[in-house]
Amino acid sequence: MKNSTNEDRKALGKKNKTKGSVAERYYRDQFKDIGYDKCVTARLGSRLHDSAGLDLVLLPYNVQVKVGEQKGLKPRQELIYMDTKMKELFPENANEFNYPKLVIHKMYAQNNKRTEFDEIVTMTFKDFKAMASKITELESKIKSLENKK
């Protein structure tokens, strides 16, 4: 009976790893679609990033991808883990420290009908504020350029 349980756990672990890999490739493609054509999964691009909990590389974001129900998911803890591992593994002047940390959680669709609420992005307010500030700055520059025409 014990072997059956161990085999079930191994099968579940393999299934979850596959789901995670599929989700990472999905979000890699989503970032490529919006212009980040160099984006790759950390498994392909960098074991160091993968070890720091970063699933996608060659982006101006530090991204951790989660998929499925994730009963025990605590986005705050995921963000802290990413921060801690980055400090442990990367040199102090690494560009990654200038990028916002994001946890993307792709949940299962309710009643097989996917909505925008099935994909949630979590980040610190500090990172959100920095991103919003950059957007405001870019909008101001665009407006200034338009006014010069």
Side-chain angles (χ1 to χ4, degrees), residues 21 24-25 28 39-46 54-57:
S21 296
E24 289 171 16
R25 289 191 300 272
R28 174 207 58 205
C39 180
V40 296
T41 64
R43 283 192 181 107
L44 173 66
S46 168
L54 309 178
D55 291 326
L56 302 175
V57 297

Side-chain angles (χ1 to χ4, degrees), residues 9-111:
R9 284 185 186 163
K10 285 181 184 179
L12 183 61
K14 185 175 180 181
K15 183 178 178 182
N16 288 340
K17 183 174 171 119
T18 301
K19 284 182 187 178
S21 296
V22 168
E24 289 171 16
R25 289 191 300 272
Y26 169 80
Y27 286 108
R28 174 207 58 205
D29 293 344
Q30 295 299 307
F31 279 105
K32 283 184 172 190
D33 286 349
I34 60 172
Y36 297 105
D37 58 334
K38 303 285 189 212
C39 180
V40 296
T41 64
R43 283 192 181 107
L44 173 66
S46 168
R47 288 185 74 166
L48 184 66
H49 286 78
D50 200 32
S51 296
L54 309 178
D55 291 326
L56 302 175
V57 297
L58 302 176
L59 290 172
Y61 310 100
N62 296 310
V63 179
Q64 170 67 236
V65 176
K66 296 294 183 186
V67 66
E69 194 171 332
Q70 300 285 332
K71 288 181 184 177
L73 179 63
K74 295 178 177 134
R76 179 179 185 272
Q77 292 307 114
E78 294 296 328
L79 293 168
I80 290 170
Y81 175 81
M82 290 164 63
D83 188 65
T84 302
K85 293 304 276 184
M86 286 170 56
K87 287 175 182 169
E88 179 184 311
L89 296 170
F90 294 120
E92 288 179 20
N93 61 347
N95 286 335
E96 286 78 5
F97 292 111
N98 299 318
Y99 302 152
K101 289 176 273 312
L102 311 174
V103 175
I104 301 175
H105 184 196
K106 184 176 185 175
M107 294 173 257
Y108 297 127
Q110 297 294 317
N111 302 320

Side-chain angles (χ1 to χ4, degrees), residues 96-131:
E96 286 78 5
F97 292 111
N98 299 318
Y99 302 152
K101 289 176 273 312
L102 311 174
V103 175
I104 301 175
H105 184 196
K106 184 176 185 175
M107 294 173 257
Y108 297 127
Q110 297 294 317
N111 302 320
N112 292 325
K113 294 181 183 175
R114 187 164 291 289
T115 71
E116 66 182 292
F117 304 104
D118 297 322
E119 294 177 275
I120 304 297
V121 176
T122 304
M123 63 191 320
T124 65
F125 184 71
K126 178 183 171 189
D127 283 344
F128 174 78
K129 195 171 161 184
M131 282 180 62

